[in-house]
Amino acid sequence: MRTSARLMWAVLAVGGAAMAAAPAEAKDCFNKAAEGVALTEGLAHFQVDAALLQSTDWNIYFTWVSGNGTPGYSFGPRHYKCSPAAIGWSCHGEAKLCKL
């Protein structure tokens, strides 16, 4: 009985770890939100976009920053809500991302 219980827990642990590490399934879409703060409104938008991609996949973030787009993901239209901050701008942004 103890051996079968241990085996069951081992299978569950391995399966759970595999699922936690699995990337998003193809055509899996999700909404993300982030905040950016910078000296200009344009830079605050950039900060929002960077945070959205970092929270999705660091590899795609590095590809995007290098100017090579977001292969494997559609990075839908972003919506920003910005306001002047004490120094610069603060923007809250949202986007829909889809794993292709």
Side-chain angles (χ1 to χ4, degrees), residues 9-25:
W9 283 111
V11 169
L12 289 174
V14 170
M19 289 189 66
E25 291 295 321

Side-chain angles (χ1 to χ4, degrees), residues 41-51 61 64-65 80:
E41 188 175 1
L43 287 175
H45 287 191
F46 177 84
Q47 291 292 326
V48 169
D49 292 350
Y61 162 73
W64 175 77
V65 167
Y80 306 101

Side-chain angles (χ1 to χ4, degrees), residues 2 10 14 16-17 19-20 30 32 34 39 41-43 48 53 56 61-62 67 78-79 87 91 96:
R2 285 187 180 173
V14 170
M19 289 189 66
F30 43 91
K32 295 271 187 175
L39 290 176
E41 188 175 1
L43 287 175
V48 169
L53 292 172
T56 301
Y61 162 73
F62 288 124
R78 274 82 77 194
H79 305 283
I87 297 176
C91 294
K96 182 176 186 176

Side-chain angles (χ1 to χ4, degrees), residues 47-81:
Q47 291 292 326
V48 169
D49 292 350
L52 291 168
L53 292 172
Q54 288 169 359
S55 68
T56 301
D57 182 336
W58 275 91
N59 290 325
I60 202 69
Y61 162 73
F62 288 124
T63 304
W64 175 77
V65 167
S66 68
N68 294 317
T70 57
Y73 286 89
S74 70
F75 191 23
R78 274 82 77 194
H79 305 283
Y80 306 101
K81 191 174 204 179

